[in-house]
Amino acid sequence: MSALPILYSFRRCPYAMRARLAIKASGQSLELREVRLADKPQALLDCSAKATVPVLVLPDNTVLDESRDILMWALGLHDPHNWLPQDQQQLTNMTALIDENDGDFKQHLDHYKYADRFPQQSMTVYRQQAEGFIASLDRQLQEGGFLCGDQCSLADIAIFPFVRQFAHVDKSWFDQTGYSRLQVWLAHFLNSPLFLSVMEKYPPWQPGQKALIF
Ligand SMILES: N[C@@H](CCC(=O)N[C@@H](CS)C(=O)NCC(=O)O)C(=O)O
C-alpha cells in the first residue's frame, strides 16, 4: 500500500482543479493518478462507486470523493495562505457562494458549454442564465478584489476553475463584456504560479506504473 495519499484526478475537470490547488497550497505530497473519464481505471471504481473525479484515498483507506471535502482536508492539514474562513460569518458567506456555483451556475454552465446537447434553448439563452451568477461575482469583487474581501479565500479557489470554464466557452465574448473586475480576477489566477503548477500535463495512469508524486 502506498504511504502517500492517492488522488485520482482529471486535468481539465474544475472540481479536480480546485482540489489540486488546495493540495498544492497545503504542501501535502501525494500520488497523482490522471484518469481518462471515458476509461476509468478499475482501482478508482473500486474505491468510489459514483466514479467522479477528484477522489482522494488516504493511507488508512478513507475515501474522500467530493472535491469540497478534499479542499477542507488539505487546508485542515496546512493553510499557509489563510484561505479557510476566519469566522462563522465568513464560513456562511463562502458556503452559500460555493453552493450557488456548484448548483445552478454549474448547470447553466454545462448547458452553455454543451449547448448542442441541449437543443431546447439557444446557447445565448443558456449563457444569459449563467450570467446572473457571473454578474453577481463581478459585483462581489468591488469590495476588495476577491470574493470574500481583500484576500484570496476558499471561495475564490473553489469557484475560479468554473469561471475559467465559462470564460473559455467564448473567450472573445467574455473579454469584451463589462465584467472587468472578474476579468482581472480570472487573469490573476490563470497567471499564478500555483495554477500553472497544477495544470501540468500527465499521461493517464496505468496500474503498476511508477508513482507520480504531486
Ligand atoms: N460533486 C463532485 C462532482 C465531481 C464531478 O462531477 N466531476 C466530473 C468531471 S468534471 C466527473 O467525474 N464526471 C463523471 C464522468 O464524466 O464520468 C465533486 O465536487 O467532486
Side-chain angles (χ1 to χ4, degrees), residues 13-15 18 37 40 50-54 65-68:
C13 164
Y15 300 100
R18 61 159 64 141
L37 293 178
K40 293 173 190 154
K50 80 181 171 84
T52 58
V53 288
D65 62 6
E66 282 295 325
S67 57
R68 289 164 75 162

Side-chain angles (χ1 to χ4, degrees), residues 21 24 188-199:
L21 286 163
K24 190 59 101 178
H188 163 79
F189 286 110
L190 289 178
N191 296 319
S192 67
L194 180 68
F195 179 65
L196 296 173
S197 76
V198 305
M199 290 304 283

